[in-house]
Amino acid sequence: MSQVTDSATITDSPDYRDAGLVFPPGFTFGSATASYQVEGAFDEDGRGPSIWDTFSKTPGKVWNGDTGDVACDHYHRVDADLDLMKELGLGAYRFSIAWPRIMPTGTGAVNQAGIDFYSRLVDGLLERGIRPVATLYHWDLPQALEDAGGWPARATADAFERYAEVMGAAMGDRVHTWTTLNEPWCSAYLGYGQGGHAPGRHEPAAALAAVHHLNLAHGRAVQALRATSSGDPDYSITLNFHVLRGVGDGAAEAMRRIDGLANRVFTHPLLAGEYPADVIADTAAVTDWSFVHDGDLAVINQPIDVLGVNYYSTATVRLWDGVSPKQMNDGHKGAPGGTAWPGSDQVVEFVEQPGPYTEMGWNIAPEGLEELLLGLHAEFPDQPLMVTENGAAFADEVAPDGSVPDLERLDYLRRHFTAAHRAIEQGVDLRGYFVWSLLDNFEWGYGYAKRFGIVRVDFDTLERTVKDSGLWYSRLARTGVLPA
Ligand code: GCO
């Protein structure tokens, strides 16, 4: 894929701190959250348990034993949070729907109270002139579906299709953009391969079956949403791309493998209707891919209006002879060694990258975003793109006057918006940009230790305070001009 660049070709690091750049008219400035990360109210109004409830309550899985039981209490504070979005001047809000609020066991009876909550949220957004961008799945799988096999089981894609039908009928008259899945890479590989995310399984073959059933679930859901949405929504999926650098003798091979498993195993079926032959060959010792049935690829390959792109940092890989002790633990979000599959003498290792870093330890590399957008545009020239997540965790401090001068986050955002602007100037059809995240929230395995918000949440009082980055972003969202 074209965003794979040999590190030898990267010779300079341009300054990405422009100000005064003007974004195209109609460019969408939004912010994003996800249900389990912000809502709380984990057992209210008929919500069933999800795999993240189970996982976060399993000792040792999440930092400090944190859970999403209360989170930002957004479920109860939704009106105030909507007012906050309006105050910030957001043009769009990307949120996710908790499947277990809608169907507590993933299949069967629909819980009207769950639909009512999201319906009120959508109405509240529209009343304030904010576009609703709704994701159907941001990782909170109903526990009952996991008990029946989870994403490695084809029946989960069947259940997802039914859930999409229900949501299309309930909100397809008002939602501006439907996103089927958020980062299926994380669901499949972190959930079923590396085990750092719920449900915490370590089964490489199951991870690849999950990849396929997530792709299938996307295709089925787009069909179901189209059939049931009475408005004219856009359709999309959000992927987290690996922007790769390689080191050492096997750099090109290491990048090819990870590009295949992390990027092309999603983009090719979704946008070109095929699984990459090299990925099937690379994983032959693990699976024969017999879970791909006749007709599946045509279902997966649905036209979409925008491709959602999540980007935080680059990843550097190298080929390693034998089994590296680090192979199962390193990489973006604790990614698995990628090709650490049985049957290969050489595995890919994710190596430490040059800084500066965010509080997650992720390297700050705005040029990677520009390169990613250009690469996707070159490979899929007719596909409009949207940055659906970009942002940074830093250990913010509250100043004596109560303000939150988070200058590092502000600088990170300025550089990445500059990178996006450069991509637009080079012809990329980029429609919008969502900052992750509106609120400090439950950062998965890191619990509440990592703050990504442009709005601070005091997790004792649940009070919200707009950070300096939020004030800066508000100026950008209102004017379309990158502030200094
Ligand atoms: C993801 C998710 C978000 C994360 C964010 C920071 O990309 O993992 O979409 O839920 O919180 O990316 O890690």
Side-chain angles (χ1 to χ4, degrees), residues 111-144:
N111 175 37
Q112 188 58 42
I115 292 190
D116 291 347
F117 171 72
Y118 295 106
S119 204
R120 275 206 323 276
L121 173 64
V122 166
D123 288 342
L125 289 167
L126 293 174
E127 279 160 21
R128 291 165 179 81
I130 304 169
R131 291 177 176 174
V133 176
T135 300
L136 288 182
Y137 187 72
H138 201 128
W139 310 351
D140 37 7
L141 185 72
Q143 181 61 45

PDB file of all heavy atoms in Angstrom, residues 111-144:
ATOM      1  N   ASN A 111     -34.788  -3.102  23.403  1.00  0.00           N
ATOM      2  CA  ASN A 111     -35.028  -2.337  24.628  1.00  0.00           C
ATOM      3  C   ASN A 111     -35.320  -0.883  24.253  1.00  0.00           C
ATOM      4  O   ASN A 111     -34.409  -0.116  23.920  1.00  0.00           O
ATOM      5  CB  ASN A 111     -33.770  -2.434  25.514  1.00  0.00           C
ATOM      6  CG  ASN A 111     -33.865  -1.581  26.753  1.00  0.00           C
ATOM      7  OD1 ASN A 111     -34.934  -1.453  27.350  1.00  0.00           O
ATOM      8  ND2 ASN A 111     -32.747  -0.984  27.138  1.00  0.00           N
ATOM      9  N   GLN A 112     -36.572  -0.507  24.313  1.00  0.00           N
ATOM     10  CA  GLN A 112     -36.984   0.825  23.848  1.00  0.00           C
ATOM     11  C   GLN A 112     -36.265   1.941  24.613  1.00  0.00           C
ATOM     12  O   GLN A 112     -35.945   2.988  24.036  1.00  0.00           O
ATOM     13  CB  GLN A 112     -38.506   0.968  23.974  1.00  0.00           C
ATOM     14  CG  GLN A 112     -39.066   2.226  23.336  1.00  0.00           C
ATOM     15  CD  GLN A 112     -38.739   2.365  21.838  1.00  0.00           C
ATOM     16  OE1 GLN A 112     -38.821   1.373  21.086  1.00  0.00           O
ATOM     17  NE2 GLN A 112     -38.354   3.574  21.395  1.00  0.00           N
ATOM     18  N   ALA A 113     -35.990   1.727  25.891  1.00  0.00           N
ATOM     19  CA  ALA A 113     -35.320   2.776  26.679  1.00  0.00           C
ATOM     20  C   ALA A 113     -33.945   3.099  26.074  1.00  0.00           C
ATOM     21  O   ALA A 113     -33.492   4.255  26.100  1.00  0.00           O
ATOM     22  CB  ALA A 113     -35.165   2.328  28.122  1.00  0.00           C
ATOM     23  N   GLY A 114     -33.285   2.106  25.535  1.00  0.00           N
ATOM     24  CA  GLY A 114     -31.981   2.337  24.899  1.00  0.00           C
ATOM     25  C   GLY A 114     -32.147   3.187  23.649  1.00  0.00           C
ATOM     26  O   GLY A 114     -31.402   4.155  23.435  1.00  0.00           O
ATOM     27  N   ILE A 115     -33.106   2.844  22.844  1.00  0.00           N
ATOM     28  CA  ILE A 115     -33.345   3.638  21.632  1.00  0.00           C
ATOM     29  C   ILE A 115     -33.703   5.074  22.015  1.00  0.00           C
ATOM     30  O   ILE A 115     -33.213   6.027  21.411  1.00  0.00           O
ATOM     31  CB  ILE A 115     -34.454   2.992  20.781  1.00  0.00           C
ATOM     32  CG1 ILE A 115     -33.918   1.667  20.219  1.00  0.00           C
ATOM     33  CG2 ILE A 115     -34.938   3.941  19.686  1.00  0.00           C
ATOM     34  CD1 ILE A 115     -34.752   1.005  19.192  1.00  0.00           C
ATOM     35  N   ASP A 116     -34.519   5.217  23.048  1.00  0.00           N
ATOM     36  CA  ASP A 116     -34.950   6.566  23.458  1.00  0.00           C
ATOM     37  C   ASP A 116     -33.753   7.439  23.831  1.00  0.00           C
ATOM     38  O   ASP A 116     -33.719   8.631  23.512  1.00  0.00           O
ATOM     39  CB  ASP A 116     -35.910   6.484  24.656  1.00  0.00           C
ATOM     40  CG  ASP A 116     -37.246   5.864  24.257  1.00  0.00           C
ATOM     41  OD1 ASP A 116     -37.513   5.737  23.038  1.00  0.00           O
ATOM     42  OD2 ASP A 116     -38.012   5.483  25.169  1.00  0.00           O
ATOM     43  N   PHE A 117     -32.785   6.860  24.520  1.00  0.00           N
ATOM     44  CA  PHE A 117     -31.620   7.652  24.931  1.00  0.00           C
ATOM     45  C   PHE A 117     -30.902   8.227  23.702  1.00  0.00           C
ATOM     46  O   PHE A 117     -30.609   9.430  23.628  1.00  0.00           O
ATOM     47  CB  PHE A 117     -30.652   6.808  25.776  1.00  0.00           C
ATOM     48  CG  PHE A 117     -29.349   7.518  26.041  1.00  0.00           C
ATOM     49  CD1 PHE A 117     -29.293   8.596  26.919  1.00  0.00           C
ATOM     50  CD2 PHE A 117     -28.184   7.141  25.378  1.00  0.00           C
ATOM     51  CE1 PHE A 117     -28.099   9.276  27.153  1.00  0.00           C
ATOM     52  CE2 PHE A 117     -26.987   7.817  25.601  1.00  0.00           C
ATOM     53  CZ  PHE A 117     -26.950   8.882  26.486  1.00  0.00           C
ATOM     54  N   TYR A 118     -30.617   7.372  22.726  1.00  0.00           N
ATOM     55  CA  TYR A 118     -29.865   7.855  21.557  1.00  0.00           C
ATOM     56  C   TYR A 118     -30.718   8.755  20.673  1.00  0.00           C
ATOM     57  O   TYR A 118     -30.206   9.670  20.026  1.00  0.00           O
ATOM     58  CB  TYR A 118     -29.287   6.669  20.775  1.00  0.00           C
ATOM     59  CG  TYR A 118     -28.259   5.950  21.610  1.00  0.00           C
ATOM     60  CD1 TYR A 118     -28.540   4.715  22.188  1.00  0.00           C
ATOM     61  CD2 TYR A 118     -27.033   6.541  21.895  1.00  0.00           C
ATOM     62  CE1 TYR A 118     -27.613   4.076  23.000  1.00  0.00           C
ATOM     63  CE2 TYR A 118     -26.101   5.914  22.712  1.00  0.00           C
ATOM     64  CZ  TYR A 118     -26.400   4.683  23.256  1.00  0.00           C
ATOM     65  OH  TYR A 118     -25.476   4.065  24.074  1.00  0.00           O
ATOM     66  N   SER A 119     -32.005   8.501  20.683  1.00  0.00           N
ATOM     67  CA  SER A 119     -32.899   9.341  19.904  1.00  0.00           C
ATOM     68  C   SER A 119     -32.912  10.767  20.475  1.00  0.00           C
ATOM     69  O   SER A 119     -32.858  11.759  19.747  1.00  0.00           O
ATOM     70  CB  SER A 119     -34.298   8.715  19.955  1.00  0.00           C
ATOM     71  OG  SER A 119     -35.025   9.116  18.866  1.00  0.00           O
ATOM     72  N   ARG A 120     -32.931  10.849  21.803  1.00  0.00           N
ATOM     73  CA  ARG A 120     -32.873  12.166  22.461  1.00  0.00           C
ATOM     74  C   ARG A 120     -31.547  12.854  22.172  1.00  0.00           C
ATOM     75  O   ARG A 120     -31.483  14.063  21.949  1.00  0.00           O
ATOM     76  CB  ARG A 120     -33.013  12.002  23.986  1.00  0.00           C
ATOM     77  CG  ARG A 120     -34.430  11.923  24.482  1.00  0.00           C
ATOM     78  CD  ARG A 120     -34.563  12.396  25.936  1.00  0.00           C
ATOM     79  NE  ARG A 120     -33.436  12.040  26.808  1.00  0.00           N
ATOM     80  CZ  ARG A 120     -33.295  10.874  27.419  1.00  0.00           C
ATOM     81  NH1 ARG A 120     -34.198   9.918  27.273  1.00  0.00           N
ATOM     82  NH2 ARG A 120     -32.251  10.649  28.199  1.00  0.00           N
ATOM     83  N   LEU A 121     -30.478  12.057  22.176  1.00  0.00           N
ATOM     84  CA  LEU A 121     -29.150  12.620  21.880  1.00  0.00           C
ATOM     85  C   LEU A 121     -29.147  13.204  20.458  1.00  0.00           C
ATOM     86  O   LEU A 121     -28.685  14.331  20.236  1.00  0.00           O
ATOM     87  CB  LEU A 121     -28.091  11.523  22.028  1.00  0.00           C
ATOM     88  CG  LEU A 121     -26.666  11.863  21.593  1.00  0.00           C
ATOM     89  CD1 LEU A 121     -26.076  12.975  22.451  1.00  0.00           C
ATOM     90  CD2 LEU A 121     -25.754  10.625  21.682  1.00  0.00           C
ATOM     91  N   VAL A 122     -29.660  12.443  19.509  1.00  0.00           N
ATOM     92  CA  VAL A 122     -29.674  12.896  18.116  1.00  0.00           C
ATOM     93  C   VAL A 122     -30.538  14.153  17.981  1.00  0.00           C
ATOM     94  O   VAL A 122     -30.137  15.136  17.339  1.00  0.00           O
ATOM     95  CB  VAL A 122     -30.171  11.759  17.192  1.00  0.00           C
ATOM     96  CG1 VAL A 122     -30.530  12.290  15.815  1.00  0.00           C
ATOM     97  CG2 VAL A 122     -29.104  10.675  17.089  1.00  0.00           C
ATOM     98  N   ASP A 123     -31.687  14.151  18.595  1.00  0.00           N
ATOM     99  CA  ASP A 123     -32.544  15.342  18.531  1.00  0.00           C
ATOM    100  C   ASP A 123     -31.847  16.543  19.165  1.00  0.00           C
ATOM    101  O   ASP A 123     -31.915  17.660  18.638  1.00  0.00           O
ATOM    102  CB  ASP A 123     -33.883  15.086  19.240  1.00  0.00           C
ATOM    103  CG  ASP A 123     -34.772  14.145  18.431  1.00  0.00           C
ATOM    104  OD1 ASP A 123     -34.513  13.971  17.219  1.00  0.00           O
ATOM    105  OD2 ASP A 123     -35.717  13.581  19.011  1.00  0.00           O
ATOM    106  N   GLY A 124     -31.191  16.297  20.281  1.00  0.00           N
ATOM    107  CA  GLY A 124     -30.480  17.376  20.974  1.00  0.00           C
ATOM    108  C   GLY A 124     -29.364  17.949  20.120  1.00  0.00           C
ATOM    109  O   GLY A 124     -29.113  19.159  20.126  1.00  0.00           O
ATOM    110  N   LEU A 125     -28.702  17.101  19.369  1.00  0.00           N
ATOM    111  CA  LEU A 125     -27.645  17.579  18.454  1.00  0.00           C
ATOM    112  C   LEU A 125     -28.266  18.426  17.358  1.00  0.00           C
ATOM    113  O   LEU A 125     -27.807  19.541  17.070  1.00  0.00           O
ATOM    114  CB  LEU A 125     -26.886  16.390  17.849  1.00  0.00           C
ATOM    115  CG  LEU A 125     -25.975  15.618  18.811  1.00  0.00           C
ATOM    116  CD1 LEU A 125     -25.533  14.285  18.207  1.00  0.00           C
ATOM    117  CD2 LEU A 125     -24.750  16.455  19.180  1.00  0.00           C
ATOM    118  N   LEU A 126     -29.307  17.897  16.741  1.00  0.00           N
ATOM    119  CA  LEU A 126     -29.919  18.611  15.610  1.00  0.00           C
ATOM    120  C   LEU A 126     -30.476  19.963  16.054  1.00  0.00           C
ATOM    121  O   LEU A 126     -30.315  20.963  15.348  1.00  0.00           O
ATOM    122  CB  LEU A 126     -31.019  17.740  14.978  1.00  0.00           C
ATOM    123  CG  LEU A 126     -30.495  16.476  14.283  1.00  0.00           C
ATOM    124  CD1 LEU A 126     -31.653  15.593  13.828  1.00  0.00           C
ATOM    125  CD2 LEU A 126     -29.580  16.810  13.100  1.00  0.00           C
ATOM    126  N   GLU A 127     -31.076  19.987  17.241  1.00  0.00           N
ATOM    127  CA  GLU A 127     -31.593  21.272  17.762  1.00  0.00           C
ATOM    128  C   GLU A 127     -30.483  22.303  17.900  1.00  0.00           C
ATOM    129  O   GLU A 127     -30.719  23.501  17.802  1.00  0.00           O
ATOM    130  CB  GLU A 127     -32.187  21.073  19.167  1.00  0.00           C
ATOM    131  CG  GLU A 127     -33.587  20.515  19.172  1.00  0.00           C
ATOM    132  CD  GLU A 127     -33.924  19.896  20.543  1.00  0.00           C
ATOM    133  OE1 GLU A 127     -33.254  20.246  21.546  1.00  0.00           O
ATOM    134  OE2 GLU A 127     -34.845  19.059  20.576  1.00  0.00           O
ATOM    135  N   ARG A 128     -29.290  21.845  18.151  1.00  0.00           N
ATOM    136  CA  ARG A 128     -28.150  22.753  18.340  1.00  0.00           C
ATOM    137  C   ARG A 128     -27.326  22.922  17.071  1.00  0.00           C
ATOM    138  O   ARG A 128     -26.226  23.489  17.101  1.00  0.00           O
ATOM    139  CB  ARG A 128     -27.266  22.238  19.485  1.00  0.00           C
ATOM    140  CG  ARG A 128     -27.936  22.355  20.854  1.00  0.00           C
ATOM    141  CD  ARG A 128     -27.208  21.527  21.876  1.00  0.00           C
ATOM    142  NE  ARG A 128     -27.799  21.613  23.206  1.00  0.00           N
ATOM    143  CZ  ARG A 128     -28.872  20.922  23.615  1.00  0.00           C
ATOM    144  NH1 ARG A 128     -29.486  20.094  22.780  1.00  0.00           N
ATOM    145  NH2 ARG A 128     -29.335  21.068  24.837  1.00  0.00           N
ATOM    146  N   GLY A 129     -27.823  22.400  15.969  1.00  0.00           N
ATOM    147  CA  GLY A 129     -27.120  22.573  14.692  1.00  0.00           C
ATOM    148  C   GLY A 129     -25.848  21.739  14.577  1.00  0.00           C
ATOM    149  O   GLY A 129     -24.911  22.103  13.872  1.00  0.00           O
ATOM    150  N   ILE A 130     -25.803  20.600  15.271  1.00  0.00           N
ATOM    151  CA  ILE A 130     -24.609  19.733  15.257  1.00  0.00           C
ATOM    152  C   ILE A 130     -24.972  18.423  14.543  1.00  0.00           C
ATOM    153  O   ILE A 130     -25.979  17.797  14.867  1.00  0.00           O
ATOM    154  CB  ILE A 130     -24.144  19.439  16.701  1.00  0.00           C
ATOM    155  CG1 ILE A 130     -23.878  20.760  17.447  1.00  0.00           C
ATOM    156  CG2 ILE A 130     -22.905  18.549  16.708  1.00  0.00           C
ATOM    157  CD1 ILE A 130     -23.664  20.598  18.943  1.00  0.00           C
ATOM    158  N   ARG A 131     -24.151  18.014  13.586  1.00  0.00           N
ATOM    159  CA  ARG A 131     -24.454  16.790  12.837  1.00  0.00           C
ATOM    160  C   ARG A 131     -24.192  15.530  13.658  1.00  0.00           C
ATOM    161  O   ARG A 131     -23.080  15.363  14.171  1.00  0.00           O
ATOM    162  CB  ARG A 131     -23.562  16.689  11.603  1.00  0.00           C
ATOM    163  CG  ARG A 131     -23.861  17.696  10.548  1.00  0.00           C
ATOM    164  CD  ARG A 131     -22.844  17.503   9.439  1.00  0.00           C
ATOM    165  NE  ARG A 131     -23.144  18.392   8.337  1.00  0.00           N
ATOM    166  CZ  ARG A 131     -22.370  18.538   7.284  1.00  0.00           C
ATOM    167  NH1 ARG A 131     -21.228  17.864   7.193  1.00  0.00           N
ATOM    168  NH2 ARG A 131     -22.716  19.351   6.315  1.00  0.00           N
ATOM    169  N   PRO A 132     -25.164  14.633  13.722  1.00  0.00           N
ATOM    170  CA  PRO A 132     -24.929  13.365  14.427  1.00  0.00           C
ATOM    171  C   PRO A 132     -24.191  12.356  13.537  1.00  0.00           C
ATOM    172  O   PRO A 132     -24.649  12.014  12.456  1.00  0.00           O
ATOM    173  CB  PRO A 132     -26.346  12.849  14.735  1.00  0.00           C
ATOM    174  CG  PRO A 132     -27.302  13.926  14.285  1.00  0.00           C
ATOM    175  CD  PRO A 132     -26.575  14.799  13.314  1.00  0.00           C
ATOM    176  N   VAL A 133     -23.043  11.919  14.006  1.00  0.00           N
ATOM    177  CA  VAL A 133     -22.263  10.891  13.317  1.00  0.00           C
ATOM    178  C   VAL A 133     -22.240   9.679  14.265  1.00  0.00           C
ATOM    179  O   VAL A 133     -21.569   9.705  15.300  1.00  0.00           O
ATOM    180  CB  VAL A 133     -20.840  11.400  13.013  1.00  0.00           C
ATOM    181  CG1 VAL A 133     -19.972  10.319  12.393  1.00  0.00           C
ATOM    182  CG2 VAL A 133     -20.920  12.624  12.081  1.00  0.00           C
ATOM    183  N   ALA A 134     -23.023   8.670  13.924  1.00  0.00           N
ATOM    184  CA  ALA A 134     -23.269   7.573  14.865  1.00  0.00           C
ATOM    185  C   ALA A 134     -22.519   6.306  14.457  1.00  0.00           C
ATOM    186  O   ALA A 134     -22.654   5.829  13.340  1.00  0.00           O
ATOM    187  CB  ALA A 134     -24.767   7.281  14.936  1.00  0.00           C
ATOM    188  N   THR A 135     -21.747   5.791  15.392  1.00  0.00           N
ATOM    189  CA  THR A 135     -21.042   4.522  15.186  1.00  0.00           C
ATOM    190  C   THR A 135     -21.844   3.408  15.850  1.00  0.00           C
ATOM    191  O   THR A 135     -22.233   3.524  17.017  1.00  0.00           O
ATOM    192  CB  THR A 135     -19.634   4.591  15.819  1.00  0.00           C
ATOM    193  OG1 THR A 135     -18.904   5.644  15.195  1.00  0.00           O
ATOM    194  CG2 THR A 135     -18.882   3.283  15.641  1.00  0.00           C
ATOM    195  N   LEU A 136     -22.069   2.326  15.123  1.00  0.00           N
ATOM    196  CA  LEU A 136     -22.848   1.220  15.697  1.00  0.00           C
ATOM    197  C   LEU A 136     -22.019   0.373  16.660  1.00  0.00           C
ATOM    198  O   LEU A 136     -22.562  -0.229  17.582  1.00  0.00           O
ATOM    199  CB  LEU A 136     -23.370   0.299  14.587  1.00  0.00           C
ATOM    200  CG  LEU A 136     -24.499   0.821  13.705  1.00  0.00           C
ATOM    201  CD1 LEU A 136     -24.912  -0.255  12.712  1.00  0.00           C
ATOM    202  CD2 LEU A 136     -25.700   1.250  14.548  1.00  0.00           C
ATOM    203  N   TYR A 137     -20.716   0.281  16.411  1.00  0.00           N
ATOM    204  CA  TYR A 137     -19.918  -0.627  17.243  1.00  0.00           C
ATOM    205  C   TYR A 137     -18.561  -0.037  17.578  1.00  0.00           C
ATOM    206  O   TYR A 137     -17.686   0.044  16.735  1.00  0.00           O
ATOM    207  CB  TYR A 137     -19.723  -1.979  16.534  1.00  0.00           C
ATOM    208  CG  TYR A 137     -19.055  -3.000  17.425  1.00  0.00           C
ATOM    209  CD1 TYR A 137     -19.741  -3.571  18.489  1.00  0.00           C
ATOM    210  CD2 TYR A 137     -17.728  -3.372  17.224  1.00  0.00           C
ATOM    211  CE1 TYR A 137     -19.118  -4.484  19.333  1.00  0.00           C
ATOM    212  CE2 TYR A 137     -17.107  -4.290  18.063  1.00  0.00           C
ATOM    213  CZ  TYR A 137     -17.808  -4.840  19.111  1.00  0.00           C
ATOM    214  OH  TYR A 137     -17.204  -5.749  19.953  1.00  0.00           O
ATOM    215  N   HIS A 138     -18.439   0.393  18.827  1.00  0.00           N
ATOM    216  CA  HIS A 138     -17.139   0.838  19.335  1.00  0.00           C
ATOM    217  C   HIS A 138     -16.774  -0.082  20.506  1.00  0.00           C
ATOM    218  O   HIS A 138     -16.584   0.359  21.631  1.00  0.00           O
ATOM    219  CB  HIS A 138     -17.199   2.310  19.743  1.00  0.00           C
ATOM    220  CG  HIS A 138     -15.870   3.000  19.798  1.00  0.00           C
ATOM    221  ND1 HIS A 138     -15.603   4.182  19.158  1.00  0.00           N
ATOM    222  CD2 HIS A 138     -14.728   2.663  20.435  1.00  0.00           C
ATOM    223  CE1 HIS A 138     -14.353   4.563  19.414  1.00  0.00           C
ATOM    224  NE2 HIS A 138     -13.795   3.645  20.190  1.00  0.00           N
ATOM    225  N   TRP A 139     -16.810  -1.385  20.205  1.00  0.00           N
ATOM    226  CA  TRP A 139     -16.189  -2.424  21.039  1.00  0.00           C
ATOM    227  C   TRP A 139     -17.008  -3.011  22.174  1.00  0.00           C
ATOM    228  O   TRP A 139     -16.544  -3.924  22.847  1.00  0.00           O
ATOM    229  CB  TRP A 139     -14.842  -1.953  21.602  1.00  0.00           C
ATOM    230  CG  TRP A 139     -13.927  -1.376  20.575  1.00  0.00           C
ATOM    231  CD1 TRP A 139     -14.082  -1.381  19.211  1.00  0.00           C
ATOM    232  CD2 TRP A 139     -12.696  -0.705  20.805  1.00  0.00           C
ATOM    233  NE1 TRP A 139     -13.028  -0.764  18.589  1.00  0.00           N
ATOM    234  CE2 TRP A 139     -12.156  -0.330  19.561  1.00  0.00           C
ATOM    235  CE3 TRP A 139     -11.982  -0.386  21.961  1.00  0.00           C
ATOM    236  CZ2 TRP A 139     -10.946   0.353  19.411  1.00  0.00           C
ATOM    237  CZ3 TRP A 139     -10.776   0.295  21.821  1.00  0.00           C
ATOM    238  CH2 TRP A 139     -10.268   0.653  20.558  1.00  0.00           C
ATOM    239  N   ASP A 140     -18.212  -2.471  22.449  1.00  0.00           N
ATOM    240  CA  ASP A 140     -18.961  -3.037  23.583  1.00  0.00           C
ATOM    241  C   ASP A 140     -19.933  -4.116  23.116  1.00  0.00           C
ATOM    242  O   ASP A 140     -21.141  -3.928  23.107  1.00  0.00           O
ATOM    243  CB  ASP A 140     -19.656  -1.936  24.413  1.00  0.00           C
ATOM    244  CG  ASP A 140     -20.205  -0.785  23.575  1.00  0.00           C
ATOM    245  OD1 ASP A 140     -20.183  -0.869  22.325  1.00  0.00           O
ATOM    246  OD2 ASP A 140     -20.683   0.201  24.173  1.00  0.00           O
ATOM    247  N   LEU A 141     -19.372  -5.245  22.760  1.00  0.00           N
ATOM    248  CA  LEU A 141     -20.170  -6.395  22.316  1.00  0.00           C
ATOM    249  C   LEU A 141     -21.016  -6.920  23.473  1.00  0.00           C
ATOM    250  O   LEU A 141     -20.498  -7.117  24.580  1.00  0.00           O
ATOM    251  CB  LEU A 141     -19.217  -7.509  21.848  1.00  0.00           C
ATOM    252  CG  LEU A 141     -19.883  -8.746  21.227  1.00  0.00           C
ATOM    253  CD1 LEU A 141     -20.442  -8.433  19.848  1.00  0.00           C
ATOM    254  CD2 LEU A 141     -18.877  -9.901  21.130  1.00  0.00           C
ATOM    255  N   PRO A 142     -22.308  -7.174  23.231  1.00  0.00           N
ATOM    256  CA  PRO A 142     -23.094  -7.819  24.291  1.00  0.00           C
ATOM    257  C   PRO A 142     -22.405  -9.112  24.758  1.00  0.00           C
ATOM    258  O   PRO A 142     -21.991  -9.935  23.931  1.00  0.00           O
ATOM    259  CB  PRO A 142     -24.431  -8.107  23.604  1.00  0.00           C
ATOM    260  CG  PRO A 142     -24.548  -7.050  22.540  1.00  0.00           C
ATOM    261  CD  PRO A 142     -23.132  -6.853  22.048  1.00  0.00           C
ATOM    262  N   GLN A 143     -22.289  -9.263  26.066  1.00  0.00           N
ATOM    263  CA  GLN A 143     -21.570 -10.424  26.624  1.00  0.00           C
ATOM    264  C   GLN A 143     -22.187 -11.738  26.144  1.00  0.00           C
ATOM    265  O   GLN A 143     -21.475 -12.726  25.918  1.00  0.00           O
ATOM    266  CB  GLN A 143     -21.579 -10.343  28.159  1.00  0.00           C
ATOM    267  CG  GLN A 143     -20.840 -11.471  28.862  1.00  0.00           C
ATOM    268  CD  GLN A 143     -19.348 -11.546  28.512  1.00  0.00           C
ATOM    269  OE1 GLN A 143     -18.664 -10.522  28.483  1.00  0.00           O
ATOM    270  NE2 GLN A 143     -18.852 -12.750  28.241  1.00  0.00           N
ATOM    271  N   ALA A 144     -23.506 -11.755  25.985  1.00  0.00           N
ATOM    272  CA  ALA A 144     -24.168 -13.005  25.560  1.00  0.00           C
ATOM    273  C   ALA A 144     -23.665 -13.449  24.187  1.00  0.00           C
ATOM    274  O   ALA A 144     -23.566 -14.650  23.917  1.00  0.00           O
ATOM    275  CB  ALA A 144     -25.686 -12.809  25.530  1.00  0.00           C
TER     276      ALA A 144
END
